[in-house]
Amino acid sequence: MDRAVIEERVRTLISTTMALPTDEMDDPATNLREDLGMDSMDFVDLLVELERHLGHRVDRELLIDIRTVGQVVDLVYNLAAQREQAGTAEAAR
C-alpha cells in the first residue's frame, strides 16, 4: 500500500479519535500527548480504530514507544507491508 495513502488514513483516524482537524497533524513529529493532548483512553480508541482499519489485532507491545504521528504512520505501514508479504507467500503455496 502506498505510504502517502496510509499517512492520510492515519491522520484521519487520529483526527476522528481526537475530534481535531487533520491540519494539526501535518508534521510527522507532532507529539500525540504533548501536542494533541491524547490520554490513555484516546490511545485505546485509536488502537481500536487501527485494528478495524487493518482488519486484525495489533500487538499492544508495538505501541509502547509510539509518541508521534509519524511513528503511528510507520507502524501502520510496516504492519500493512507484513500482511501483504504474508498474503503473497500464502498465495505462492
Side-chain angles (χ1 to χ4, degrees):
M1 182 174 275
D2 181 40
R3 186 174 179 84
V5 171
I6 289 175
E7 183 174 352
E8 186 59 34
R9 288 183 182 173
V10 166
R11 289 175 62 228
T12 299
L13 288 175
I14 295 171
S15 172
T16 301
T17 300
M18 296 300 298
L20 295 170
T22 56
D23 63 355
E24 291 193 27
M25 291 148 245
D26 285 344
D27 182 357
T30 300
N31 188 290
L32 298 169
R33 290 186 191 275
E34 295 170 13
D35 298 328
L36 301 181
M38 283 187 99
D39 61 22
S40 58
M41 289 305 296
D42 295 322
F43 271 98
V44 171
D45 291 343
L46 179 59
L47 176 64
V48 169
E49 288 300 314
L50 289 172
E51 289 177 337
R52 192 170 60 81
H53 174 74
L54 292 167
H56 62 87
R57 293 188 55 82
V58 175
D59 182 4
R60 275 48 176 173
E61 295 291 315
L62 297 173
L63 299 173
I64 290 173
D65 295 323
I66 299 294
R67 301 283 182 264
T68 67
V69 171
Q71 289 173 326
V72 177
V73 172
D74 291 342
L75 174 66
V76 173
Y77 181 79
N78 291 334
L79 290 171
Q82 288 172 3
R83 185 163 182 146
E84 217 171 86
Q85 288 175 350
T88 302
E90 188 67 30
R93 290 183 192 174

